[in-house]
């Protein structure tokens, strides 16, 4: 049985991008805008709200105070970008 994928470190280098480290050691910066569809994700279209991202300490997903989160598998499916962390 394979281990579940988790986000172990995260930063917001610029609006709508996350710098991620996964539990398997993979690191990447991704543009998450393709995942921000539907009414639940509308608050994240505000760069200030987006920048409030954290890692849920139990689920190990990227989450926001507005109550939405993104699963590690969805984040890993995104093509890495060349945006560098600040």
């Amino acid at each position: 049985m394979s281990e579940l994928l988790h986000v172990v470190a995260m930063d917001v280098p610029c609006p709508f991008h996350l710098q991620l480290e996964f539990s398997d050691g993979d690191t990447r910066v991704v543009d998450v805008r393709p995942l921000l569809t539907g009414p639940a994700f509308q608050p994240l279209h505000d760069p200030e709200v987006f920048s409030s991202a954290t890692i849920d300490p139990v689920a190990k997903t990227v989450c926001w105070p507005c109550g939405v989160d993104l699963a590690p598998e969805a984040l890993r499916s995104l093509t890495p970008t060349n945006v560098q962390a600040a």
Side-chain angles (χ1 to χ4, degrees), residues 51-63:
S51 69
S52 68
T54 60
I55 298 174
D56 181 284
V58 175
K60 304 294 187 200
T61 60
V62 176
C63 63

Side-chain angles (χ1 to χ4, degrees), residues 15-74:
F16 313 113
H17 290 73
L18 297 174
Q19 180 178 353
L20 301 163
E21 180 180 345
F22 295 97
S23 54
D24 65 359
D26 182 33
T27 60
R28 59 179 68 193
V29 176
V30 293
D31 179 345
V32 301
R33 286 178 283 197
L35 301 177
L36 303 182
T37 60
F41 292 100
Q42 192 62 39
L44 302 186
H45 292 218
D46 178 338
E48 189 172 324
V49 173
F50 185 85
S51 69
S52 68
T54 60
I55 298 174
D56 181 284
V58 175
K60 304 294 187 200
T61 60
V62 176
C63 63
W64 286 266
C66 62
V68 298
D69 69 338
L70 293 173
E73 296 81 8

